[in-house]
């Protein structure tokens, strides 16, 4: 497989007939799901980060398959904390609490959301909690099953109840 960046969030991927055969496929037998799977494999092999959703267009021909992939970055970053004390320690470690952070309770864990661009805050939070970047459809699961504790300004809310 040959992967070629064509922008900051897009690539062109050429999958040869040999690559397809290695996976037990042919150009005519390639489904969109299998093309997506091969695209994810190519991204991993190229050492490219696939954080976010991926959209693909696949064009199978007898000489191989041309795939155009566009990665859409996530709108939110999620962190989970095993206990409230860890979350409070994380909130105290930040220079300034983020007013755009929300807090939910689900599956015996505390879930904190941040907007995708909050890299410094995310790095700091990862010292206390677990980044949940690799879980697909997490936002939808939390919206459906999670209980909202603080819809906004969650870190300030936590500091109100756990000041020291």
């Amino acid at each position: 497989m040959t992967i070629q960046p064509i922008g900051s969030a897009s690539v062109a991927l050429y999958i040869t007939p040999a690559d397809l055969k290695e996976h037990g496929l042919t150009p005519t037998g390639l489904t969109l799901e299998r093309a997506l799977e091969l695209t994810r494999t190519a991204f991993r092999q190229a050492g490219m980060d696939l954080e976010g959703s991926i959209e693909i267009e696949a064009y199978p021909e007898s000489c191989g398959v041309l795939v155009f992939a566009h990665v859409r970055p996530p709108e939110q970053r999620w962190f989970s904390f095993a206990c409230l004390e860890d979350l409070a320690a994380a909130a105290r470690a930040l220079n300034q609490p983020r007013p755009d952070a929300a807090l939910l309770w689900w599956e015996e864990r505390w879930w904190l959301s941040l907007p995708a661009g909050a890299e410094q805050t995310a790095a700091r939070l990862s010292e206390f909690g677990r980044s949940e970047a690799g879980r697909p459809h997490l936002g939808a699961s939390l919206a459906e099953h999670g209980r909202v504790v603080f819809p906004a300004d969650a870190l300030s809310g936590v500091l109100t109840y756990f000041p020291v």
Side-chain angles (χ1 to χ4, degrees), residues 76 78 104-107 111 132 135-148:
Q76 293 178 308
W78 288 98
L104 293 92
W105 173 254
W106 181 54
E107 291 186 337
W111 298 82
E132 300 288 352
R135 291 185 61 167
H137 313 295
L138 178 60
S141 295
L142 284 163
E144 185 174 347
H145 304 292
R147 289 193 333 236
V148 177

Side-chain angles (χ1 to χ4, degrees), residues 70-93:
H70 177 75
V71 178
R72 194 171 350 135
E75 295 175 15
Q76 293 178 308
R77 294 191 69 158
W78 288 98
F79 290 86
S80 70
F81 297 85
C83 63
L84 208 46
E85 289 79 11
D86 291 345
L87 176 59
R92 284 191 291 272

Side-chain angles (χ1 to χ4, degrees), residues 108-133:
E108 305 298 316
R109 293 187 71 80
W110 299 96
W111 298 82
L112 186 75
S113 78
L114 294 174
E119 301 304 324
Q120 289 181 328
T121 303
R124 193 63 167 213
L125 290 176
S126 68
E127 297 175 24
F128 300 90
R130 182 171 73 196
S131 174
E132 300 288 352

Side-chain angles (χ1 to χ4, degrees), residues 38-88:
L38 289 173
T39 302
R40 289 185 185 281
T41 299
F43 268 85
R44 266 192 312 278
Q45 289 173 348
M48 298 174 78
D49 188 20
L50 252 187
E51 191 172 319
S53 62
I54 185 169
E55 299 169 358
I56 66 167
E57 293 177 52
Y59 300 95
E61 296 291 333
S62 60
C63 60
V65 179
L66 182 60
V67 177
F68 292 100
H70 177 75
V71 178
R72 194 171 350 135
E75 295 175 15
Q76 293 178 308
R77 294 191 69 158
W78 288 98
F79 290 86
S80 70
F81 297 85
C83 63
L84 208 46
E85 289 79 11
D86 291 345
L87 176 59

